[in-house]
Structure formats: C-alpha cells, structure tokens
C-alpha cells in the first residue's frame, strides 16, 4: 500500500516542488493551498502523513492540525 502525503501550504510552488521530490520516492502526494478547502474535503480526503505550513492566511497550520487530528488520528503530522 502506497503511503499518501497531504501537503498544505499557501506557497503552491514550494508545495509542488516538495510533492515532486516525495513522488520520486514512491509516495502518493496531495497538494492543497487553502486550509479551508482541506476542511471541506475531509470526508473524501485520505492521508497517512500531513505536512502543514504554520503561517497561512485565513487559518494557520496549528488550527488546521487540530481539525485534521480529529479526522485522522492515525496520521503523522509535520
């Protein structure tokens, strides 16, 4: 089973660069740049690891982490 990584960063270019590196290592990566969109997609979103930007407009990574941890308590958060 391939591990899925969720990257949430308002700097889309940086997030996509990181995603490309992780995909070369065989991981499945989902990139999102809006924390509120992440919350809207929680019902369909599956991930094993989440890499979150701390400073984002609208909702910071710490608040997003609180929501994600309830949805996916098994996941690793960075």
């Amino acid at each position: 089973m391939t591990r899925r990584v969720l990257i949430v960063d308002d700097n889309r270019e940086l997030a996509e660069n990181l995603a490309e590196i992780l995909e070369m290592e065989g991981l499945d990566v989902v990139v999102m740049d809006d924390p509120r969109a992440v919350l809207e997609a929680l019902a369909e979103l599956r991930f094993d690891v989440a890499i979150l930007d701390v400073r984002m407009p609208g909702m910071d990574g710490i608040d997003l982490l609180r929501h994600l941890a309830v949805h996916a308590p098994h996941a690793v958060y960075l």
Side-chain angles (χ1 to χ4, degrees), residues 23-40:
E23 288 168 345
M24 287 190 304
E25 295 298 320
L27 298 168
D28 184 21
V29 182
V30 174
V31 174
M32 298 185 80
D33 56 10
D34 180 356
R36 297 198 186 279
V38 173
L39 295 180
E40 291 173 8

Side-chain angles (χ1 to χ4, degrees), residues 5 7-8 16-17 19 31 40-41 54 61 63 65 69 71-72 74 76:
V5 178
I7 300 173
V8 184
E16 289 178 353
N17 287 339
V31 174
E40 291 173 8
V54 174
D63 288 337
L65 170 64
H71 171 73
H74 68 282
V76 176

